[in-house]
């Protein structure tokens, strides 16, 4: 009887990159990205001038080689990649060895010379950005942490700075989730403000605080509860409805019919986190069947694999999906 563990075949591949000066950027500060590559693919990477030696099992070596080649090609073509971009590139190649990183980075959103680009962190994000470019109404549906709201705000900011739109209108339903509005301090504006904070957070991450405040004062950016949209027609605007699952069917119809000329509308939401009263149906759930066959409207769906927050967020979403409402 052979008690020795099964030996795993190992191979070594040498990769020659023309622009070796890019390697420090790819490997990151104190080789942080390199260490992630080695850990993710279970390989050993050593370098000498412009030669890279990758050692591990053949499949892992091939994936690591594919990743390094694509990162090198992207940066050789002038694409600036920060550590966050490379981190997600590592994850994308690990999940799908056939992924084309160039096609994903081609959908980057330009915010400003100081802020730079916002890069899609997966295929669903790429599809979402492309849909917003191509359609007047886009509905992004999926779990928390998939970047739906953040990307929608980024697209709105990009469109505003390019003068494609005259204003940005950010909308949220003021639906109570665990706390009664009457028990919160302040007047009605102060009571509603906490529900709008995720929209402020996204804006402040892309545009300087003082500039956001000035644009709000000038009416270039408007942040408002959903109820305030009734009776309006919104021309030359980029309009976002966040937390769309907490709109009623009547509110969803009201909101979508506010679309004016030269405007674009994006709805985001998670249909597994509806905070409406139990007897009230979600407008975002209903609208999927009502509008699915209309040209000019695009639905984009995200799943737990598209979560781009802390790795634990992805695990939490997966655990809840697996539990499926059990106590």
């Amino acid at each position: 009887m052979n008690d020795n563990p099964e030996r795993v075949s190992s191979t070594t591949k040498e990769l020659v990159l023309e622009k070796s000066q890019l390697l420090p950027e790819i490997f990151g500060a104190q080789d942080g990205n390199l260490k992630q590559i080695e850990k993710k693919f279970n390989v050993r990477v050593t370098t000498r001038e412009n030669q890279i030696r990758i050692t591990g099992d053949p499949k892992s070596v091939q994936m690591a080689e594919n990743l390094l080649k694509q990162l090198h090609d992207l940066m050789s073509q002038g694409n600036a990649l920060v550590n966050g971009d490379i981190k997600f590139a590592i994850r994308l190649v690990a999940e799908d060895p056939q992924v084309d990183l160039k096609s994903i980075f081609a959908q980057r959103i330009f915010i400003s010379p100081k802020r730079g680009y916002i890069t899609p962190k997966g295929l669903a994000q790429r599809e979402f950005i492309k849909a917003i470019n191509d359609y007047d109404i886009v509905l992004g549906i999926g779990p928390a942490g998939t970047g739906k709201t953040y990307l929608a705000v980024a697209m709105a900011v990009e469109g505003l700075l390019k003068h494609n739109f005259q204003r940005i209108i950010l909308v949220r339903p003021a639906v109570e989730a665990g706390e009664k509005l009457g028990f919160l301090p302040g007047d009605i504006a102060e009571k509603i403000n906490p529900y709008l904070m995720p929209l402020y957070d996204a804006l402040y991450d892309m545009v300087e605080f003082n500039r956001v405040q000035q644009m709000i004062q000038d009416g270039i950016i408007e942040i408002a509860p959903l109820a305030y949209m009734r009776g309006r027609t919104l021309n030359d605007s980029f309009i976002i409805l966040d937390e769309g699952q907490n709109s009623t069917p009547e509110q969803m119809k009201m909101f979508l019919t506010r679309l004016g000329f030269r405007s674009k509308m994006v709805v985001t939401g998670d249909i597994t986190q509806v905070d409406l009263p139990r007897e009230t149906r979600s407008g975002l759930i209903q609208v999927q069947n009502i509008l699915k066959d209309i040209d000019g409207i695009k639905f984009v769906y995200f799943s737990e694999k598209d979560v781009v927050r802390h790795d634990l967020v992805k695990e939490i979403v997966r655990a809840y999906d697996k539990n499926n409402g059990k106590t």
Side-chain angles (χ1 to χ4, degrees):
M1 180 177 180
N2 186 2
D3 293 329
N4 292 328
E6 182 179 353
R7 296 186 61 187
V8 179
S9 61
S10 178
T11 186
T12 297
K13 183 68 177 289
E14 288 192 356
L15 175 63
V16 179
L17 300 178
E18 294 180 2
K19 297 185 178 181
S20 58
Q21 69 271 19
L22 296 176
L23 289 179
E25 292 185 61
I26 294 175
F27 290 166
Q30 298 181 334
D31 287 341
N33 297 331
L34 175 59
K35 293 173 184 176
Q36 287 191 35
I37 293 171
E38 291 182 321
K39 181 178 179 181
K40 193 71 173 180
F41 299 108
N42 193 25
V43 295
R44 174 65 177 165
V45 180
T46 56
T47 62
R48 183 177 180 181
E49 296 182 347
N50 65 336
Q51 290 185 336
I52 298 177
R53 176 171 291 183
I54 310 170
T55 303
D57 71 79
K59 183 177 179 181
S60 297
V61 168
Q62 184 176 5
M63 286 193 292
E65 178 188 18
N66 177 29
L67 170 69
L68 291 169
K69 278 184 176 179
Q70 291 201 63
L71 290 175
H72 178 265
D73 290 346
L74 280 167
M75 298 182 75
S76 297
Q77 295 164 12
N79 294 291
L81 304 181
V82 298
N83 285 340
D85 294 330
I86 295 176
K87 175 182 176 181
F88 283 105
I90 294 169
R91 185 177 116 178
L92 288 171
V93 172
E95 292 177 349
D96 179 10
Q98 304 302 318
V99 67
D100 180 5
L101 295 179
K102 184 178 180 179
S103 68
I104 291 178
F105 281 80
Q107 295 294 334
R108 294 197 300 177
I109 307 167
F110 181 74
I111 298 300
S112 68
K114 182 178 180 180
R115 177 62 176 83
Y117 290 92
I118 293 175
T119 304
K121 301 300 190 294
L123 298 178
Q125 286 200 3
R126 181 190 67 176
E127 182 185 358
F128 190 52
I129 294 171
K130 187 176 187 304
I132 294 173
N133 281 322
D134 295 343
Y135 293 82
D136 287 338
I137 296 180
V138 177
L139 297 97
I141 301 173
T146 49
K148 305 180 299 297
T149 300
Y150 191 84
L151 288 177
V153 173
M155 293 291 288
V157 170
E158 181 188 51
L160 182 69
L161 297 179
K162 288 182 175 179
H163 305 291
N164 295 332
F165 309 98
Q166 294 182 7
R167 56 182 174 163
I168 297 172
I169 300 175
L170 307 175
V171 184
R172 256 193 162 213
V175 173
E176 302 167 4
E179 279 188 293
K180 298 295 184 182
L181 281 172
F183 288 87
L184 296 175
D187 58 21
I188 186 63
E190 292 171 319
K191 291 175 187 289
I192 290 172
N193 197 57
Y195 294 94
L196 307 176
M197 286 309 299
L199 300 175
Y200 285 106
D201 291 341
L203 276 173
Y204 293 144
D205 194 46
M206 301 171 201
V207 184
E208 293 83 358
F209 179 88
N210 291 336
R211 189 176 183 189
V212 170
Q213 292 298 311
Q214 187 61 53
M215 287 193 287
I216 291 175
Q217 290 181 17
D218 294 340
I220 297 173
I221 296 178
E222 178 183 348
I223 303 178
L226 178 57
Y228 286 21
M229 294 298 103
R230 191 172 299 279
R232 305 176 63 181
T233 299
L234 305 171
N235 297 320
D236 300 299
S237 302
F238 195 112
I239 314 133
I240 300 171
L241 172 60
D242 189 35
E243 296 288 318
Q245 77 276 6
N246 288 329
S247 66
T248 66
E250 294 77 16
Q251 287 175 325
M252 179 63 73
K253 178 182 177 182
M254 178 272 292
F255 175 79
L256 293 173
T257 53
R258 300 308 94 199
L259 182 70
F261 294 107
R262 300 171 302 280
S263 290
K264 194 174 289 286
M265 187 172 278
V266 178
V267 178
T268 64
D270 178 0
I271 57 176
T272 69
Q273 294 188 11
V274 178
D275 299 314
L276 294 167
R278 190 176 298 273
E279 66 277 6
T280 303
R281 190 175 185 189
S282 166
L284 186 57
I285 293 176
Q286 183 195 59
V287 78
Q288 296 175 86
N289 290 324
I290 294 176
L291 302 183
K292 63 181 180 180
D293 296 324
I294 296 181
D295 292 336
I297 297 178
K298 178 70 172 179
F299 288 87
V300 178
Y301 291 91
F302 297 78
S303 68
E304 99 281 339
K305 72 178 183 179
D306 301 307
V307 171
V308 293
R309 291 181 184 168
H310 193 287
D311 288 342
L312 282 177
V313 174
K314 185 175 179 179
E315 296 301 321
I316 290 169
V317 172
R318 182 181 292 116
Y320 270 93
D321 286 346
K322 185 178 179 179
N323 189 66
N324 195 25
K326 299 175 185 177
T327 57

